[in-house]
Amino acid sequence: MPEQDVTVGQLLLAEYESVKSEQRARIGFRDNLLYVTLAVVAAVIAAAAQAKQPSMLLALPPVCVVLGWTYLVNDEKISAIGLYVRDDLGPRLAELASRGGGFTTFGWEAHHRGDTRRRSRKATQAVIDLTAFCAVPLAALTVFWSNGNVGGLLVGLSALEALAVAGLASQVVRYARAA
């Protein structure tokens, strides 16, 4: 069987397929994190209400922070892959395909970012992220704090949880501004 040389273009296309596959997987995982968060929130609220134990609501902030951070990290990697394809991989392939220049690869990677409603969608998504991962656990903490029967240790724990939620909220806002 004769050996076949692999061209640079073939390697770049294989890399493109690989990073796009990773991007698709991350998109699916990221989007499911919102559903998981909603399910966890509903389960914890139902359990706390049924048991009449507001202290059970203290489970929400750490869960929402972990899920929210995972969501945010995956969203950043999804965007980073798009940027890499647009600004690095695409131009290298275009150069190989057309030595004279003027050839554009992966046009969708840049085209969809030019939508006039993109900015409002990004702002709406930031509000949804803040609500799901930050406002809900802060509401749970408020309910816990408003219940008169709270012990010192749990109040201290809840204060740390509030700081963690605030830290996540700052990252969500910071990332939304950068995008």
Side-chain angles (χ1 to χ4, degrees):
M1 179 174 209
E3 284 188 35
Q4 291 184 334
D5 290 335
V6 176
T7 67
V8 172
Q10 290 170 324
L11 288 173
L12 291 174
L13 286 173
E15 181 181 11
Y16 170 76
E17 286 300 322
S18 176
V19 296
K20 290 304 280 186
S21 176
E22 178 183 347
Q23 188 181 48
R24 280 188 297 275
R26 284 184 179 274
I27 288 169
F29 181 72
R30 177 204 61 194
D31 292 351
N32 284 329
L33 285 171
L34 275 173
Y35 302 125
V36 169
T37 302
L38 290 173
V40 167
V41 166
V44 169
I45 290 172
Q50 188 175 22
K52 294 183 174 60
Q53 291 292 323
S55 60
M56 292 175 72
L57 294 174
L58 293 180
L60 282 180
V63 169
C64 287
V65 166
V66 168
L67 292 172
W69 181 253
T70 305
Y71 179 93
L72 195 61
V73 168
N74 270 282
D75 194 54
E76 189 280 327
K77 293 299 180 214
I78 292 163
S79 296
I81 290 170
L83 179 67
Y84 175 71
V85 169
R86 270 190 322 279
D87 294 353
D88 190 308
L89 192 57
R92 286 192 290 158
L93 271 168
E95 177 64 28
L96 286 173
S98 174
R99 294 289 180 195
F103 181 75
T104 303
T105 57
F106 313 127
W108 175 250
E109 297 290 340
H111 176 76
H112 75 92
R113 298 177 58 81
D115 180 10
T116 58
R117 294 186 310 262
R118 182 174 191 273
R119 185 171 239 160
S120 66
R121 277 196 318 275
K122 286 290 192 182
T124 301
Q125 187 63 52
V127 169
I128 290 168
D129 296 347
L130 285 168
T131 301
F133 300 117
C134 302
V136 168
L138 287 177
L141 288 170
T142 302
V143 169
F144 169 74
W145 290 326
S146 66
N147 181 44
N149 304 329
V150 293
L153 184 59
L154 290 181
V155 169
L157 175 65
S158 68
L160 290 175
E161 290 180 346
L163 289 173
V165 172
L168 176 63
S170 72
Q171 292 301 310
V172 169
V173 170
R174 186 173 173 213
Y175 180 74
R177 284 186 180 157

